[in-house]
Amino acid sequence: MLETVQLTKAFKGKTVVDEVDLYLDQGESVGLLGPNGAGKSTTISMISSLLKPTSGDVKLNQKSTIKNPVDLRKVLGVVPQEIALYEELSAYENLKFFGRIYRVPKSELESRIQDTLEIVGLKERQKDLIKTFSGGMKRRVNIATALLHNPKILILDEPTVGIDPQSRNYILEMVRQLNEQKGTTVLYTSHYMEEVEQLCNRVYIMDHGKVIAKGTKSELLSILSNEDTISVQPNRIDEEFLAAVKKIEGVRKVEVSGEEINIIAKKVSNIVSELVNVGERHQVQILNFQMENPSLENVFLHLTGRTLRD
Amino acid sequence: MWTFLIKDLLLFWRDRKEVAIIILLPLALVVILSLVMPGMFGEGSEEEYDLDLALVKEDDQERSLELFEDHLRQTSDLSNNEIEELLIGVRAHLPVEGLIEYLNSPELAEWVSVEAMEKETAQAEVEQGNLDGALIIPEDYSFQLLADMYLNEPTEQALSFQADDQTMEVEILSNVIQSYLDHMNLHHAISSAGGEVEVPSEALPQGQVENVEGQQSFSMDQYFTISMGALFVLFLAATVATRTGIEKRENTFKRIVLTNSPPLYYLFGKTMGTFILAWCQMMLILIGSHLILGVFSDHDITVWVGLILMATMYALAIAAISAVMTSVMLRLKNSETGDGIFMMVIMVFGVIGGNFVPIYLLPNWLQQIGEMTPNGLVLATLIEWIQYEDFSILVMPTVILMIIVIVSLFIGVKLYPKRGDVS
Ligand SMILES: Nc1ncnc2c1ncn2[C@@H]1O[C@H](COP(=O)(O)OP(=O)(O)OP(=O)(O)O)[C@@H](O)[C@H]1O
Ligand SMILES: [Mg+2]
């Protein structure tokens, strides 16, 4: 239904989105994952016709939308990463304004506003000015505004950054329902693995402007099928110890996160005892030790050598 | 389209304190300054002249009349009856008599004191600087004037006005006298066409006293009121552009782009909103300063027709220019840059348009450039209008402002970014 072809964007010669190919089928829920600065928002801006690509194309039903994005805009609901609302207007006034300029028929507008407010759970606060809202509530109105005209495709750019877990769950659940019950096609951007794992059928992983991996969750996890992820908590971490760990046979990646060391290693049986040995040699005690079920986070680590949020 | 206007007005309303301040500021400024500098305003504002004038009358009215009667009988083919009738009319309004009366009238008495003298004495006094000037009415001048007026025979002798030095006052006085005579001639022309003769002095415009060309003058407070009004409307336009910057920063503009709304709708909201506020601002300062300070109290209702027409046209023009500013703002990466640029443009417009320094103090070439700015144009036009109240004065400026409106709207639409993310 919607696809990008070799989508590229360069700012002053610096390529921030590099030949990205994505597609969205009708009714799908697709995740776009990547660390800060990966180029997710830039990609989304181009898809939603707000930013002109340096090269490449965005196609809706096989038709290019670059020259004339009118049809695309009609079916698109975009939730920008930043709150895009009039702070000095109430939630209701914001919705009414955007509803009208989205040409929601007058007879339906009132009920559409109330419905979307219901969906985002802010019916009671609709008369309050946006500037009096909490971050989470603003995010929810931000989403509601994109839903007014019943978009076929909903694009959300990190709709959950900087908000409390409760609002976050609420939003996730809301998007899931829109996708499952109304058949809305969803493109969901995040750097939270859990969200994407929970919500999306398929995932694209971006880093440095490139799609570095794609597929369903199980497809992506199979990248790690012949590897183990081990989380080790030593009593102290020093460079020599880390260097030694890296030298253990079969170890592919070593990552320090807080007090823990994440290790990706080939499925070899003696990795655990090797670790203990190395520890002893460097007077490091292994306090805790865990073999993890691989997650998309691990996939990312595997592919880039970095965690998503570093 | 109206949705955008409603939104913009609603936003202004939410910010009503700030908006009210912007709208009321010029009025407040005019009122405060009038309190601080009372000399600059009100009655005291008209410059006070004090002139001593000698009047040397070598002309003998009766002799002139007799000469005129003889001359008529000899040269014209009028019947006796007609001549009698004409002479009655002439006697009723003897031109030189009228001039002397006029010079002694209370209006002129305020700044001219006239003293009848012999020619030699008068000349000596003028030379010594005891008198500012001497008006000499030569022998048989009345006759020649009548012959000129009624028979179209060119005058040989002219009034002579002698002054030691060519001061402003002397200049004004000689102009007053000249315009009186012109007026009489014109009046004669009209009355001989229409058949009815009126007393010329009654038909003289009121304020003729004060001004060089014989029209009503304008006062500093009127100038100040209009220039402040024009200037602050410019500031208002900048405020609107700043708000566009906020819309961009708050990303609401991106959403607007995503709705496929035609550019004109968005600009319409901004333009109409600016127009409404600018219009209110102009009306407030014009009407407010009149009610509080009586700025236009020696004018009748006609002056308001021109004031309101020009204020409306001006508000329209500035509103259209705000459309350009809006589009430029949307295109700029950094809205602070926009704010800075617009402030600078406004300052330049304000200065060359005469909103800061009275326009007549500026060099001529700068005045001409100044009148190419909408604010300068409106200021110059209204100042002229206050003096003449002639509708033909308003025609050209109205056309020019209309052109500014159309061109600005066109540029505004052309510059409007097609995509929301203009960064
Ligand atoms: N207007 C711009 N001019 C120059 N560089 C830009 C511009 N917009 C984005 N970039 C750069 O492009 C890169 C990608 O930015 P983008 O916002 O798309 O990342 P992102 O994946 O959305 O990150 P985040 O998770 O922080 O939102 C960044 O390095 C950013 O600095
Ligand atoms: Mg982003």
mmCIF file of all heavy atoms in Angstrom, chain A residues 45 48-50 66 70 73 78 82-88 93 97-98 101 103 129 142, chain B residues 3-4 7 10-11 14 247 250-252 254-261 418-419 421:
data_model
loop_
_atom_site.group_PDB
_atom_site.id
_atom_site.type_symbol
_atom_site.label_atom_id
_atom_site.label_comp_id
_atom_site.label_asym_id
_atom_site.label_seq_id
_atom_site.Cartn_x
_atom_site.Cartn_y
_atom_site.Cartn_z
ATOM 1 N N SER A 45 9.354 12.044 8.086
ATOM 2 C CA SER A 45 9.005 13.331 7.489
ATOM 3 C C SER A 45 8.895 13.213 5.978
ATOM 4 O O SER A 45 8.012 13.807 5.364
ATOM 5 C CB SER A 45 10.061 14.383 7.818
ATOM 6 O OG SER A 45 9.885 14.868 9.113
ATOM 7 N N SER A 48 5.747 11.254 5.092
ATOM 8 C CA SER A 48 4.499 11.999 5.277
ATOM 9 C C SER A 48 4.468 13.299 4.474
ATOM 10 O O SER A 48 3.649 14.162 4.719
ATOM 11 C CB SER A 48 4.260 12.274 6.755
ATOM 12 O OG SER A 48 5.426 12.791 7.354
ATOM 13 N N SER A 49 5.380 13.442 3.523
ATOM 14 C CA SER A 49 5.381 14.542 2.547
ATOM 15 C C SER A 49 5.750 15.893 3.145
ATOM 16 O O SER A 49 5.514 16.928 2.549
ATOM 17 C CB SER A 49 4.029 14.684 1.823
ATOM 18 O OG SER A 49 3.101 15.377 2.625
ATOM 19 N N LEU A 50 6.330 15.889 4.326
ATOM 20 C CA LEU A 50 6.714 17.169 4.909
ATOM 21 C C LEU A 50 8.121 17.578 4.493
ATOM 22 O O LEU A 50 8.492 18.736 4.596
ATOM 23 C CB LEU A 50 6.647 17.093 6.435
ATOM 24 C CG LEU A 50 5.238 17.059 7.024
ATOM 25 C CD1 LEU A 50 5.289 16.759 8.505
ATOM 26 C CD2 LEU A 50 4.525 18.375 6.776
ATOM 27 N N ILE A 66 5.694 12.170 -4.661
ATOM 28 C CA ILE A 66 6.605 13.301 -4.457
ATOM 29 C C ILE A 66 6.070 14.571 -5.109
ATOM 30 O O ILE A 66 6.008 15.624 -4.484
ATOM 31 C CB ILE A 66 8.007 12.981 -5.044
ATOM 32 C CG1 ILE A 66 8.572 11.699 -4.437
ATOM 33 C CG2 ILE A 66 8.951 14.149 -4.835
ATOM 34 C CD1 ILE A 66 8.898 11.793 -2.969
ATOM 35 N N VAL A 70 -1.166 15.103 -2.448
ATOM 36 C CA VAL A 70 -2.515 15.346 -1.938
ATOM 37 C C VAL A 70 -3.217 14.061 -1.500
ATOM 38 O O VAL A 70 -3.758 13.970 -0.394
ATOM 39 C CB VAL A 70 -3.355 16.096 -3.001
ATOM 40 C CG1 VAL A 70 -4.806 16.164 -2.578
ATOM 41 C CG2 VAL A 70 -2.810 17.502 -3.195
ATOM 42 N N ARG A 73 -1.696 12.546 1.645
ATOM 43 C CA ARG A 73 -2.029 13.272 2.866
ATOM 44 C C ARG A 73 -3.433 12.933 3.352
ATOM 45 O O ARG A 73 -3.712 12.977 4.544
ATOM 46 C CB ARG A 73 -1.901 14.776 2.638
ATOM 47 C CG ARG A 73 -0.449 15.239 2.570
ATOM 48 C CD ARG A 73 -0.352 16.688 2.179
ATOM 49 N NE ARG A 73 1.041 17.129 2.087
ATOM 50 C CZ ARG A 73 1.418 18.303 1.618
ATOM 51 N NH1 ARG A 73 0.502 19.158 1.189
ATOM 52 N NH2 ARG A 73 2.688 18.646 1.566
ATOM 53 N N VAL A 78 -0.611 11.541 10.884
ATOM 54 C CA VAL A 78 0.773 11.613 11.342
ATOM 55 C C VAL A 78 0.821 12.136 12.776
ATOM 56 O O VAL A 78 0.248 13.174 13.092
ATOM 57 C CB VAL A 78 1.608 12.541 10.437
ATOM 58 C CG1 VAL A 78 3.054 12.589 10.926
ATOM 59 C CG2 VAL A 78 1.557 12.064 8.998
ATOM 60 N N GLU A 82 7.379 15.688 18.010
ATOM 61 C CA GLU A 82 7.143 16.822 18.894
ATOM 62 C C GLU A 82 5.642 17.049 18.992
ATOM 63 O O GLU A 82 4.902 16.751 18.068
ATOM 64 C CB GLU A 82 7.797 18.088 18.338
ATOM 65 C CG GLU A 82 9.224 17.931 17.854
ATOM 66 C CD GLU A 82 9.295 17.384 16.425
ATOM 67 O OE1 GLU A 82 8.263 17.416 15.728
ATOM 68 O OE2 GLU A 82 10.366 16.922 16.025
ATOM 69 N N ILE A 83 5.223 17.615 20.110
ATOM 70 C CA ILE A 83 3.816 17.960 20.250
ATOM 71 C C ILE A 83 3.492 19.063 19.238
ATOM 72 O O ILE A 83 4.140 20.094 19.213
ATOM 73 C CB ILE A 83 3.525 18.516 21.666
ATOM 74 C CG1 ILE A 83 4.061 17.568 22.731
ATOM 75 C CG2 ILE A 83 2.055 18.803 21.856
ATOM 76 C CD1 ILE A 83 3.292 16.308 22.895
ATOM 77 N N ALA A 84 2.510 18.792 18.402
ATOM 78 C CA ALA A 84 2.139 19.791 17.410
ATOM 79 C C ALA A 84 0.718 20.267 17.690
ATOM 80 O O ALA A 84 -0.238 19.876 17.029
ATOM 81 C CB ALA A 84 2.251 19.210 15.997
ATOM 82 N N LEU A 85 0.601 21.098 18.699
ATOM 83 C CA LEU A 85 -0.716 21.590 19.105
ATOM 84 C C LEU A 85 -0.596 23.051 19.497
ATOM 85 O O LEU A 85 0.486 23.522 19.831
ATOM 86 C CB LEU A 85 -1.224 20.797 20.320
ATOM 87 C CG LEU A 85 -1.422 19.304 20.138
ATOM 88 C CD1 LEU A 85 -1.597 18.650 21.498
ATOM 89 C CD2 LEU A 85 -2.617 19.010 19.250
ATOM 90 N N TYR A 86 -1.716 23.748 19.459
ATOM 91 C CA TYR A 86 -1.724 25.126 19.948
ATOM 92 C C TYR A 86 -1.840 25.118 21.460
ATOM 93 O O TYR A 86 -2.862 24.725 22.007
ATOM 94 C CB TYR A 86 -2.878 25.909 19.336
ATOM 95 C CG TYR A 86 -2.689 26.180 17.870
ATOM 96 C CD1 TYR A 86 -3.307 25.404 16.903
ATOM 97 C CD2 TYR A 86 -1.861 27.210 17.458
ATOM 98 C CE1 TYR A 86 -3.122 25.648 15.559
ATOM 99 C CE2 TYR A 86 -1.666 27.463 16.111
ATOM 100 C CZ TYR A 86 -2.293 26.682 15.174
ATOM 101 O OH TYR A 86 -2.097 26.929 13.839
ATOM 102 N N GLU A 87 -0.764 25.541 22.092
ATOM 103 C CA GLU A 87 -0.723 25.519 23.555
ATOM 104 C C GLU A 87 -1.815 26.392 24.165
ATOM 105 O O GLU A 87 -2.304 26.126 25.247
ATOM 106 C CB GLU A 87 0.647 26.021 24.036
ATOM 107 C CG GLU A 87 1.798 25.093 23.693
ATOM 108 C CD GLU A 87 2.058 24.089 24.800
ATOM 109 O OE1 GLU A 87 1.847 24.441 25.968
ATOM 110 O OE2 GLU A 87 2.452 22.950 24.494
ATOM 111 N N GLU A 88 -2.131 27.453 23.446
ATOM 112 C CA GLU A 88 -3.072 28.425 24.013
ATOM 113 C C GLU A 88 -4.528 28.072 23.723
ATOM 114 O O GLU A 88 -5.422 28.814 24.099
ATOM 115 C CB GLU A 88 -2.781 29.822 23.440
ATOM 116 C CG GLU A 88 -1.412 30.372 23.779
ATOM 117 C CD GLU A 88 -1.315 30.772 25.238
ATOM 118 O OE1 GLU A 88 -2.358 31.086 25.837
ATOM 119 O OE2 GLU A 88 -0.193 30.749 25.770
ATOM 120 N N GLU A 93 -10.686 22.781 21.246
ATOM 121 C CA GLU A 93 -10.491 23.779 20.179
ATOM 122 C C GLU A 93 -9.445 23.321 19.173
ATOM 123 O O GLU A 93 -9.601 23.531 17.965
ATOM 124 C CB GLU A 93 -10.085 25.122 20.785
ATOM 125 C CG GLU A 93 -11.226 25.845 21.452
ATOM 126 C CD GLU A 93 -10.766 26.909 22.433
ATOM 127 O OE1 GLU A 93 -9.560 26.953 22.762
ATOM 128 O OE2 GLU A 93 -11.605 27.681 22.883
ATOM 129 N N PHE A 97 -10.357 22.737 15.314
ATOM 130 C CA PHE A 97 -9.638 23.437 14.247
ATOM 131 C C PHE A 97 -9.077 22.447 13.234
ATOM 132 O O PHE A 97 -9.335 22.549 12.027
ATOM 133 C CB PHE A 97 -8.525 24.302 14.829
ATOM 134 C CG PHE A 97 -7.595 24.863 13.790
ATOM 135 C CD1 PHE A 97 -8.050 25.789 12.862
ATOM 136 C CD2 PHE A 97 -6.267 24.453 13.726
ATOM 137 C CE1 PHE A 97 -7.204 26.307 11.901
ATOM 138 C CE2 PHE A 97 -5.417 24.966 12.756
ATOM 139 C CZ PHE A 97 -5.892 25.890 11.845
ATOM 140 N N PHE A 98 -8.345 21.463 13.741
ATOM 141 C CA PHE A 98 -7.720 20.529 12.803
ATOM 142 C C PHE A 98 -8.768 19.670 12.096
ATOM 143 O O PHE A 98 -8.619 19.349 10.919
ATOM 144 C CB PHE A 98 -6.667 19.684 13.509
ATOM 145 C CG PHE A 98 -5.407 20.452 13.803
ATOM 146 C CD1 PHE A 98 -5.046 20.771 15.109
ATOM 147 C CD2 PHE A 98 -4.595 20.907 12.775
ATOM 148 C CE1 PHE A 98 -3.896 21.491 15.381
ATOM 149 C CE2 PHE A 98 -3.439 21.638 13.029
ATOM 150 C CZ PHE A 98 -3.088 21.930 14.337
ATOM 151 N N ILE A 101 -10.106 21.791 9.255
ATOM 152 C CA ILE A 101 -9.239 21.955 8.091
ATOM 153 C C ILE A 101 -8.900 20.607 7.446
ATOM 154 O O ILE A 101 -8.446 20.559 6.319
ATOM 155 C CB ILE A 101 -7.968 22.786 8.390
ATOM 156 C CG1 ILE A 101 -7.069 22.105 9.390
ATOM 157 C CG2 ILE A 101 -8.327 24.177 8.884
ATOM 158 C CD1 ILE A 101 -5.742 22.816 9.562
ATOM 159 N N ARG A 103 -11.258 18.847 6.774
ATOM 160 C CA ARG A 103 -12.539 18.731 6.078
ATOM 161 C C ARG A 103 -13.374 17.536 6.563
ATOM 162 O O ARG A 103 -14.006 16.861 5.766
ATOM 163 C CB ARG A 103 -12.326 18.640 4.564
ATOM 164 C CG ARG A 103 -11.908 19.964 3.971
ATOM 165 C CD ARG A 103 -11.545 19.821 2.520
ATOM 166 N NE ARG A 103 -10.445 20.700 2.183
ATOM 167 C CZ ARG A 103 -9.165 20.436 2.442
ATOM 168 N NH1 ARG A 103 -8.820 19.299 3.017
ATOM 169 N NH2 ARG A 103 -8.226 21.303 2.117
ATOM 170 N N LEU A 129 -6.916 24.183 28.536
ATOM 171 C CA LEU A 129 -5.884 24.575 27.575
ATOM 172 C C LEU A 129 -4.761 23.547 27.559
ATOM 173 O O LEU A 129 -4.421 22.966 28.586
ATOM 174 C CB LEU A 129 -5.294 25.941 27.935
ATOM 175 C CG LEU A 129 -6.251 27.131 27.974
ATOM 176 C CD1 LEU A 129 -5.477 28.430 28.101
ATOM 177 C CD2 LEU A 129 -7.123 27.178 26.724
ATOM 178 N N ASN A 142 -2.058 14.856 21.013
ATOM 179 C CA ASN A 142 -1.253 14.853 19.785
ATOM 180 C C ASN A 142 -1.670 13.691 18.886
ATOM 181 O O ASN A 142 -1.750 13.819 17.666
ATOM 182 C CB ASN A 142 0.229 14.730 20.171
ATOM 183 C CG ASN A 142 1.165 15.255 19.095
ATOM 184 O OD1 ASN A 142 0.789 16.163 18.348
ATOM 185 N ND2 ASN A 142 2.355 14.684 19.026
ATOM 186 N N THR B 3 -12.172 29.190 9.195
ATOM 187 C CA THR B 3 -11.642 28.414 10.309
ATOM 188 C C THR B 3 -10.302 28.968 10.757
ATOM 189 O O THR B 3 -10.031 29.098 11.945
ATOM 190 C CB THR B 3 -11.455 26.951 9.862
ATOM 191 O OG1 THR B 3 -12.629 26.551 9.169
ATOM 192 C CG2 THR B 3 -11.210 26.057 11.043
ATOM 193 N N PHE B 4 -9.477 29.323 9.764
ATOM 194 C CA PHE B 4 -8.154 29.858 10.092
ATOM 195 C C PHE B 4 -8.263 31.202 10.791
ATOM 196 O O PHE B 4 -7.562 31.468 11.757
ATOM 197 C CB PHE B 4 -7.306 30.006 8.816
ATOM 198 C CG PHE B 4 -6.749 28.709 8.327
ATOM 199 C CD1 PHE B 4 -7.432 27.949 7.395
ATOM 200 C CD2 PHE B 4 -5.541 28.243 8.819
ATOM 201 C CE1 PHE B 4 -6.928 26.756 6.951
ATOM 202 C CE2 PHE B 4 -5.022 27.040 8.370
ATOM 203 C CZ PHE B 4 -5.722 26.290 7.443
ATOM 204 N N LYS B 7 -9.414 30.661 14.269
ATOM 205 C CA LYS B 7 -8.293 30.173 15.070
ATOM 206 C C LYS B 7 -7.355 31.314 15.445
ATOM 207 O O LYS B 7 -6.961 31.454 16.613
ATOM 208 C CB LYS B 7 -7.558 29.094 14.271
ATOM 209 C CG LYS B 7 -6.329 28.505 14.929
ATOM 210 C CD LYS B 7 -5.009 29.083 14.440
ATOM 211 C CE LYS B 7 -4.780 28.907 12.961
ATOM 212 N NZ LYS B 7 -3.580 29.616 12.495
ATOM 213 N N LEU B 10 -8.944 33.613 17.878
ATOM 214 C CA LEU B 10 -9.018 32.946 19.184
ATOM 215 C C LEU B 10 -7.666 33.001 19.887
ATOM 216 O O LEU B 10 -7.579 33.251 21.097
ATOM 217 C CB LEU B 10 -9.443 31.498 18.970
ATOM 218 C CG LEU B 10 -10.011 30.735 20.164
ATOM 219 C CD1 LEU B 10 -11.208 31.465 20.739
ATOM 220 C CD2 LEU B 10 -10.414 29.327 19.753
ATOM 221 N N LEU B 11 -6.613 32.811 19.097
ATOM 222 C CA LEU B 11 -5.268 32.885 19.683
ATOM 223 C C LEU B 11 -4.957 34.297 20.172
ATOM 224 O O LEU B 11 -4.363 34.475 21.231
ATOM 225 C CB LEU B 11 -4.220 32.433 18.670
ATOM 226 C CG LEU B 11 -4.147 30.921 18.459
ATOM 227 C CD1 LEU B 11 -3.248 30.583 17.286
ATOM 228 C CD2 LEU B 11 -3.660 30.210 19.706
ATOM 229 N N ARG B 14 -6.795 34.713 23.393
ATOM 230 C CA ARG B 14 -6.145 34.057 24.518
ATOM 231 C C ARG B 14 -4.987 34.900 25.029
ATOM 232 O O ARG B 14 -4.600 34.825 26.186
ATOM 233 C CB ARG B 14 -5.602 32.685 24.089
ATOM 234 C CG ARG B 14 -6.637 31.636 23.929
ATOM 235 C CD ARG B 14 -7.195 31.170 25.252
ATOM 236 N NE ARG B 14 -8.627 30.945 25.178
ATOM 237 C CZ ARG B 14 -9.186 29.904 24.596
ATOM 238 N NH1 ARG B 14 -8.454 28.980 24.072
ATOM 239 N NH2 ARG B 14 -10.498 29.785 24.560
ATOM 240 N N GLU B 247 4.052 29.274 15.554
ATOM 241 C CA GLU B 247 3.316 28.167 14.946
ATOM 242 C C GLU B 247 4.262 27.158 14.322
ATOM 243 O O GLU B 247 4.008 25.965 14.307
ATOM 244 C CB GLU B 247 2.350 28.692 13.883
ATOM 245 C CG GLU B 247 0.920 28.719 14.367
ATOM 246 C CD GLU B 247 -0.013 29.303 13.339
ATOM 247 O OE1 GLU B 247 0.422 30.156 12.550
ATOM 248 O OE2 GLU B 247 -1.183 28.912 13.332
ATOM 249 N N GLU B 250 6.046 25.384 17.219
ATOM 250 C CA GLU B 250 5.148 24.425 17.884
ATOM 251 C C GLU B 250 4.712 23.319 16.932
ATOM 252 O O GLU B 250 3.896 22.474 17.293
ATOM 253 C CB GLU B 250 3.914 25.157 18.430
ATOM 254 C CG GLU B 250 4.212 25.962 19.678
ATOM 255 C CD GLU B 250 2.955 26.578 20.270
ATOM 256 O OE1 GLU B 250 1.913 26.586 19.584
ATOM 257 O OE2 GLU B 250 3.018 27.030 21.416
ATOM 258 N N ASN B 251 5.198 23.363 15.711
ATOM 259 C CA ASN B 251 4.939 22.312 14.731
ATOM 260 C C ASN B 251 3.500 22.211 14.254
ATOM 261 O O ASN B 251 3.153 21.305 13.522
ATOM 262 C CB ASN B 251 5.368 20.942 15.270
ATOM 263 C CG ASN B 251 6.864 20.862 15.416
ATOM 264 O OD1 ASN B 251 7.583 20.992 14.443
ATOM 265 N ND2 ASN B 251 7.331 20.693 16.634
ATOM 266 N N THR B 252 2.678 23.141 14.707
ATOM 267 C CA THR B 252 1.294 23.065 14.245
ATOM 268 C C THR B 252 1.215 23.336 12.749
ATOM 269 O O THR B 252 0.307 22.856 12.080
ATOM 270 C CB THR B 252 0.411 24.080 14.988
ATOM 271 O OG1 THR B 252 1.130 25.294 15.138
ATOM 272 C CG2 THR B 252 0.044 23.546 16.347
ATOM 273 N N LYS B 254 3.149 22.171 10.514
ATOM 274 C CA LYS B 254 3.309 20.894 9.805
ATOM 275 C C LYS B 254 1.962 20.197 9.662
ATOM 276 O O LYS B 254 1.621 19.661 8.620
ATOM 277 C CB LYS B 254 4.249 19.978 10.586
ATOM 278 C CG LYS B 254 5.700 20.338 10.456
ATOM 279 C CD LYS B 254 6.543 19.268 11.125
ATOM 280 C CE LYS B 254 7.956 19.758 11.321
ATOM 281 N NZ LYS B 254 8.741 18.856 12.159
ATOM 282 N N ARG B 255 1.238 20.194 10.747
ATOM 283 C CA ARG B 255 -0.081 19.569 10.715
ATOM 284 C C ARG B 255 -0.973 20.235 9.694
ATOM 285 O O ARG B 255 -1.727 19.582 8.967
ATOM 286 C CB ARG B 255 -0.741 19.708 12.085
ATOM 287 C CG ARG B 255 -0.563 18.529 12.965
ATOM 288 C CD ARG B 255 -1.642 18.571 14.023
ATOM 289 N NE ARG B 255 -1.221 17.904 15.246
ATOM 290 C CZ ARG B 255 -1.130 16.598 15.368
ATOM 291 N NH1 ARG B 255 -1.427 15.822 14.348
ATOM 292 N NH2 ARG B 255 -0.738 16.070 16.492
ATOM 293 N N ILE B 256 -0.882 21.564 9.663
ATOM 294 C CA ILE B 256 -1.721 22.301 8.724
ATOM 295 C C ILE B 256 -1.378 21.893 7.297
ATOM 296 O O ILE B 256 -2.262 21.646 6.481
ATOM 297 C CB ILE B 256 -1.544 23.822 8.933
ATOM 298 C CG1 ILE B 256 -2.148 24.209 10.281
ATOM 299 C CG2 ILE B 256 -2.195 24.605 7.807
ATOM 300 C CD1 ILE B 256 -1.865 25.617 10.718
ATOM 301 N N VAL B 257 -0.090 21.760 7.022
ATOM 302 C CA VAL B 257 0.334 21.335 5.683
ATOM 303 C C VAL B 257 -0.247 19.957 5.367
ATOM 304 O O VAL B 257 -0.721 19.703 4.264
ATOM 305 C CB VAL B 257 1.872 21.299 5.583
ATOM 306 C CG1 VAL B 257 2.303 20.638 4.285
ATOM 307 C CG2 VAL B 257 2.435 22.703 5.664
ATOM 308 N N LEU B 258 -0.249 19.098 6.371
ATOM 309 C CA LEU B 258 -0.715 17.727 6.148
ATOM 310 C C LEU B 258 -2.204 17.643 5.827
ATOM 311 O O LEU B 258 -2.679 16.630 5.344
ATOM 312 C CB LEU B 258 -0.417 16.872 7.383
ATOM 313 C CG LEU B 258 1.051 16.483 7.558
ATOM 314 C CD1 LEU B 258 1.260 15.805 8.888
ATOM 315 C CD2 LEU B 258 1.479 15.565 6.417
ATOM 316 N N THR B 259 -2.930 18.717 6.114
ATOM 317 C CA THR B 259 -4.364 18.656 5.833
ATOM 318 C C THR B 259 -4.692 19.066 4.407
ATOM 319 O O THR B 259 -5.855 19.145 4.043
ATOM 320 C CB THR B 259 -5.149 19.608 6.757
ATOM 321 O OG1 THR B 259 -4.708 20.950 6.498
ATOM 322 C CG2 THR B 259 -4.934 19.265 8.208
ATOM 323 N N ASN B 260 -3.674 19.350 3.601
ATOM 324 C CA ASN B 260 -3.901 19.789 2.216
ATOM 325 C C ASN B 260 -4.625 21.115 2.131
ATOM 326 O O ASN B 260 -5.277 21.398 1.127
ATOM 327 C CB ASN B 260 -4.747 18.750 1.446
ATOM 328 C CG ASN B 260 -3.924 17.574 1.005
ATOM 329 O OD1 ASN B 260 -2.762 17.721 0.667
ATOM 330 N ND2 ASN B 260 -4.515 16.403 1.032
ATOM 331 N N SER B 261 -4.566 21.913 3.178
ATOM 332 C CA SER B 261 -5.267 23.200 3.116
ATOM 333 C C SER B 261 -4.567 24.130 2.133
ATOM 334 O O SER B 261 -3.351 24.214 2.128
ATOM 335 C CB SER B 261 -5.274 23.869 4.490
ATOM 336 O OG SER B 261 -5.966 23.075 5.398
ATOM 337 N N LYS B 418 5.608 24.807 0.114
ATOM 338 C CA LYS B 418 4.725 23.728 -0.309
ATOM 339 C C LYS B 418 4.719 22.598 0.718
ATOM 340 O O LYS B 418 3.754 21.891 0.877
ATOM 341 C CB LYS B 418 5.180 23.162 -1.651
ATOM 342 C CG LYS B 418 5.310 24.200 -2.729
ATOM 343 C CD LYS B 418 4.057 24.300 -3.550
ATOM 344 C CE LYS B 418 4.040 25.537 -4.431
ATOM 345 N NZ LYS B 418 4.596 26.755 -3.837
ATOM 346 N N ARG B 419 5.866 22.421 1.368
ATOM 347 C CA ARG B 419 5.965 21.361 2.345
ATOM 348 C C ARG B 419 6.150 21.975 3.716
ATOM 349 O O ARG B 419 6.628 23.089 3.855
ATOM 350 C CB ARG B 419 7.146 20.445 2.021
ATOM 351 C CG ARG B 419 6.885 19.615 0.786
ATOM 352 C CD ARG B 419 8.150 18.963 0.296
ATOM 353 N NE ARG B 419 7.899 18.309 -0.983
ATOM 354 C CZ ARG B 419 7.492 17.054 -1.078
ATOM 355 N NH1 ARG B 419 7.319 16.324 -0.003
ATOM 356 N NH2 ARG B 419 7.282 16.518 -2.262
ATOM 357 N N ASP B 421 7.968 20.912 6.369
ATOM 358 C CA ASP B 421 9.268 20.860 7.009
ATOM 359 C C ASP B 421 10.261 21.611 6.151
ATOM 360 O O ASP B 421 10.890 21.059 5.265
ATOM 361 C CB ASP B 421 9.722 19.409 7.170
ATOM 362 C CG ASP B 421 10.633 19.288 8.367
ATOM 363 O OD1 ASP B 421 11.199 20.307 8.775
ATOM 364 O OD2 ASP B 421 10.758 18.173 8.888
#
